[in-house]
Amino acid sequence: MLTLVVRVEKGARPGQTDALETAARAVLAILADERSAGEGEWAEAMRAWQDARIRKVVRRARGAEWRRAEALPGITVTGSDAEVRVFPPVPLDAVPKDLAKLQVTGTDFEDPDDLAAPEPGIPVLWINPGLTMSSGKAMAQCGHAAHLAWLALSAAGRKEWVAADFALAVRTATPGRWRDLLTSGLPVVQDAGFTEVAPGSRTVIAIIPC
């Protein structure tokens, strides 16, 4: 299980899309980190996790909870107003207590303004318009999509994405675009259905520019 924690202070909630994009970038950050490769301190855990289901959970923290989470080994990624910390994966029964006791609920965010079109040339994670998901669930699904996109890239493509600080965009597809994406052969997240959506639901599709 890979845990992501989003910082949600009183009166300072992140925007929806910024939270989704920051969660996706956090997953990429731990995948690319030198501690996750070779003989790095997280490498064995990362290999075991990726050889099984790449399960991810998003929790929220504020104040002292956030400070305790920051003290644990991990990586904090910031967006425009979102902060997400990602932690090396562990078995479900081995999640540190300072993370396990954090709430999963309460992560329903909103975008303050209308979203501009994604910048040309960056990866876009398109969300299924026919599903209703909490912000936390959508963050995990965008993390899955970014993960699949990373696996689909060449070594050179990964280096370019690292150099670009994992630039990406998250948008909700129109129904017509979603139908086209489903037949495109692009990486698509198919959810196991443990929470919120039915088993087999296709949640997010990643477009990676060549």
Side-chain angles (χ1 to χ4, degrees):
M1 172 77 74
L2 185 87
T3 300
L4 299 107
V5 175
V6 58
R7 186 176 186 179
V8 186
E9 299 289 349
K10 283 186 177 180
R13 300 174 70 81
Q16 165 82 351
T17 298
D18 192 38
L20 302 183
E21 293 173 351
T22 305
R25 291 174 54 234
V27 170
L28 293 166
I30 199 167
L31 289 169
D33 195 279
E34 62 183 11
R35 289 167 289 185
S36 298
E39 301 301 319
E41 60 188 284
W42 300 342
E44 184 175 350
M46 292 292 287
R47 285 192 292 268
W49 170 61
Q50 293 185 90
D51 285 344
R53 286 196 179 105
I54 54 171
R55 293 187 65 185
K56 302 175 181 71
V57 64
V58 176
R59 301 179 182 274
R60 63 179 171 89
R62 71 183 186 199
E65 295 173 332
W66 177 257
R67 290 190 291 275
R68 285 193 293 270
E70 278 199 306
L72 297 171
I75 302 169
T76 297
V77 176
T78 58
S80 297
D81 56 17
E83 285 185 79
V84 176
R85 188 163 180 84
V86 61
F87 302 87
V90 294
L92 186 59
D93 60 0
V95 175
K97 64 179 181 179
D98 283 333
L99 300 183
K101 66 185 180 183
L102 297 176
Q103 295 293 313
V104 176
T105 58
T107 56
D108 290 310
F109 309 132
E110 296 180 355
D111 281 316
D113 303 301
D114 291 336
L115 298 174
E119 294 181 18
I122 66 170
V124 181
L125 311 181
W126 291 100
I127 297 176
N128 183 343
L131 295 176
T132 298
M133 297 183 285
S134 68
S135 296
K137 177 72 171 182
M139 289 170 69
Q141 298 303 301
C142 288
H144 291 330
H147 195 155
L148 294 180
W150 178 261
L151 295 177
L153 284 172
S154 65
R158 291 178 183 178
K159 287 181 180 179
E160 289 180 6
W161 211 0
V162 170
D165 197 23
F166 306 113
L168 56 83
V170 175
R171 295 292 187 271
T172 299
T174 64
R177 179 184 285 271
W178 184 255
R179 287 193 296 270
D180 291 341
L181 289 169
L182 285 174
T183 61
S184 66
L186 292 165
V188 56
V189 178
Q190 187 163 310
D191 194 71
F194 293 118
T195 60
E196 297 192 24
V197 299
S201 295
R202 289 172 287 187
T203 58
V204 186
I205 293 176
I207 291 183
I208 315 163
C210 297

